[in-house]
């Protein structure tokens, strides 16, 4: 995953990021056969899960339990991989150190970053494929003033792939916000919406002068390298742009 220069503090250090040891942030979504979550619920829960993880004191405190692993991960590319679990798989995964975020029905657990080839056996056996979820009804328009992560309307992605992409967008937004805006968003419980942008609006949202965090995917799975996947529109960023 890579991002636009205006949103990424490492944009001028691409070679250094690629040569650094590579880590990945694991996310596991609970998908029970009888009652799977909705697509949009899973995406919004994944984005909030990443924000909850990044703002957790185990990450933010210098001597925090996960601070060193997160620093190593952020020194390279902020890769995220989404796997699915159900039943006993989910219970075993939930016993590992991590943080679970619950949406309307979705449950997403984020684990501390691990080396690309260092997956715990409880997570390594979980499937990446099969994360195709659907919404029973189209999501309502986002409420005014709500931060929105806008999906590229011209790209087709599985739910799992889209969860990783909105997780990237949430992280870039977190980096771009002022400390005061971060604190306010955290105190509110990270309200946000994930919606597909209207075709005409996508060009405006991603214009250079908009100054909004934009995710460009590295193209390891599903989509072409360099594809723009999500743009983050937070009211606090509009105020400072």
């Amino acid at each position: 995953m890579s991002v636009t220069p205006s949103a990424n503090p490492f944009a001028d250090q691409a070679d250094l990021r690629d040569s650094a040891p590579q880590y990945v942030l694991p996310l596991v979504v609970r998908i029970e056969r009888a009652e799977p979550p909705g697509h949009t619920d899973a995406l919004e829960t994944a984005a909030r899960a990443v924000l909850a993880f990044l703002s957790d004191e185990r990450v933010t405190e210098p001597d925090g339990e996960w601070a060193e692993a997160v620093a190593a991960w952020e020194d390279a590319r902020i890769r995220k991989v989404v796997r699915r679990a159900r039943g006993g798989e989910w219970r075993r995964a939930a016993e590992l150190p991590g943080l679970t975020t619950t949406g309307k029905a979705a449950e997403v657990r984020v684990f501390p970053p691990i080396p690309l080839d260092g997956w715990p056996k409880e997570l390594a056996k979980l499937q990446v494929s099969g994360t195709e979820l659907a919404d029973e009804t189209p999501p309502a328009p986002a409420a005014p003033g709500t931060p929105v992560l806008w999906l590229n309307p011209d790209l087709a992605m599985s739910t799992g792939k889209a969860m990783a992409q909105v997780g990237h967008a949430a992280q870039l937004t977190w980096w771009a916000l002022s400390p005061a805006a971060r604190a306010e968003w955290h105190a509110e419980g990270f309200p946000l919406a994930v919606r597909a942008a209207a075709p005409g609006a996508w060009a405006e949202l991603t214009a250079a002068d908009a100054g909004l965090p934009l995710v460009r995917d590295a193209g390891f799975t599903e989509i072409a390298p360099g594809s723009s996947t999500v743009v983050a529109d937070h009211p606090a960023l509009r105020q400072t742009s």
Side-chain angles (χ1 to χ4, degrees):
M1 193 284 301
S2 61
V3 295
T4 54
S6 62
N8 180 15
F10 308 117
D12 297 326
Q13 305 177 39
D15 292 340
L16 293 176
R17 285 187 293 137
D18 288 335
S19 63
Q22 297 295 303
Y23 288 76
V24 61
L25 188 76
L27 288 81
V28 175
V29 56
R30 184 177 186 180
I31 303 180
E32 300 290 348
R33 282 197 181 98
E35 297 182 2
H39 173 78
T40 300
D41 186 19
L43 267 56
E44 293 176 347
T45 304
R48 290 193 299 107
V50 169
L51 292 165
F53 177 81
L54 293 174
S55 60
D56 190 279
E57 62 182 10
R58 287 168 287 186
V59 172
T60 60
E61 293 298 323
D63 58 349
E65 180 182 353
W66 301 332
E68 185 175 352
V70 170
W73 169 60
E74 291 183 342
D75 278 346
R77 293 186 179 273
I78 55 169
R79 296 187 181 189
K80 298 177 180 68
V81 171
V82 177
R83 296 176 183 254
R84 60 182 173 87
R86 62 172 178 263
E89 296 173 333
W90 174 259
R91 291 190 292 273
R92 287 188 289 273
E95 292 175 356
L96 298 177
L99 188 66
T100 297
T101 298
T102 302
K104 296 174 182 176
E107 293 180 71
V108 176
R109 187 166 180 84
V110 180
F111 302 86
I114 56 175
L116 281 178
D117 58 355
W119 287 77
K121 65 180 186 300
E122 294 89 347
L123 303 183
K125 63 180 64 175
L126 301 178
Q127 295 294 312
V128 176
S129 61
T131 55
E132 293 287 358
L133 301 173
D135 289 321
E136 291 186 0
T137 59
T146 300
V148 181
L149 308 179
W150 295 104
L151 298 166
N152 185 337
D154 296 323
L155 285 180
M157 296 184 285
S158 68
T159 302
K161 178 71 172 181
M163 286 174 65
Q165 299 302 301
V166 298
H168 295 330
Q171 184 166 0
L172 298 183
T173 305
W174 185 249
W175 282 347
L177 291 173
S178 69
R182 286 185 182 184
E184 181 178 357
W185 204 17
H186 180 274
E188 294 172 344
F190 299 118
L192 58 83
V194 176
R195 300 289 186 270
W202 180 253
E204 179 182 342
L205 288 164
T206 58
D209 59 2
L212 299 177
L214 175 64
V215 180
R216 297 187 192 276
D217 192 63
F220 295 120
T221 60
E222 295 193 24
I223 57 179
S227 297
S228 298
T229 58
V230 188
V231 63
D233 191 1
H234 191 294
L237 298 180
R238 291 282 191 174
Q239 294 167 9
T240 57
S241 61

